[in-house]
Amino acid sequence: MLKIRVEGLPKEIDRFLEHFQNYYRVLQRSKPYQNRNNEYVRVYVEIGHDEPSNQQRNS
């Protein structure tokens, strides 16, 4: 398992993680946490090390 911090605008993070899930198994995703002094947020994601099946990738 890996833990990753993703930082950006909320819509950018949603779009990124939507595509990211086609290649990695997301075990858990945190709520967005607002950064100080700017509009960016951060989300913490836990991923599994095995890839999804081809069927999951193409859906």
Side-chain angles (χ1 to χ4, degrees), residues 31-45:
K31 66 178 184 172
Y33 294 96
Q34 186 70 46
N35 285 352
R36 294 182 192 175
N37 303 321
N38 63 36
E39 61 202 78
Y40 295 108
V41 298
R42 59 195 182 280
V43 173
Y44 298 91
V45 181

Side-chain angles (χ1 to χ4, degrees), residues 16-57:
F16 170 77
L17 289 177
E18 184 178 309
H19 293 291
F20 186 81
Q21 291 177 12
N22 291 329
Y23 299 97
Y24 297 95
R25 186 168 51 104
V26 175
L27 304 173
Q28 188 174 6
R29 175 181 173 171
S30 74
K31 66 178 184 172
Y33 294 96
Q34 186 70 46
N35 285 352
R36 294 182 192 175
N37 303 321
N38 63 36
E39 61 202 78
Y40 295 108
V41 298
R42 59 195 182 280
V43 173
Y44 298 91
V45 181
E46 291 182 10
I47 63 168
H49 54 78
D50 58 327
E51 293 188 23
S53 67
N54 286 333
Q55 184 179 9
Q56 287 177 311
R57 241 186 246 166

Side-chain angles (χ1 to χ4, degrees), residues 1-4 8 14 21 26 32 48 55 59:
M1 174 184 58
L2 294 172
K3 294 183 179 186
I4 300 172
D14 289 341
Q21 291 177 12
V26 175
Q55 184 179 9
S59 56

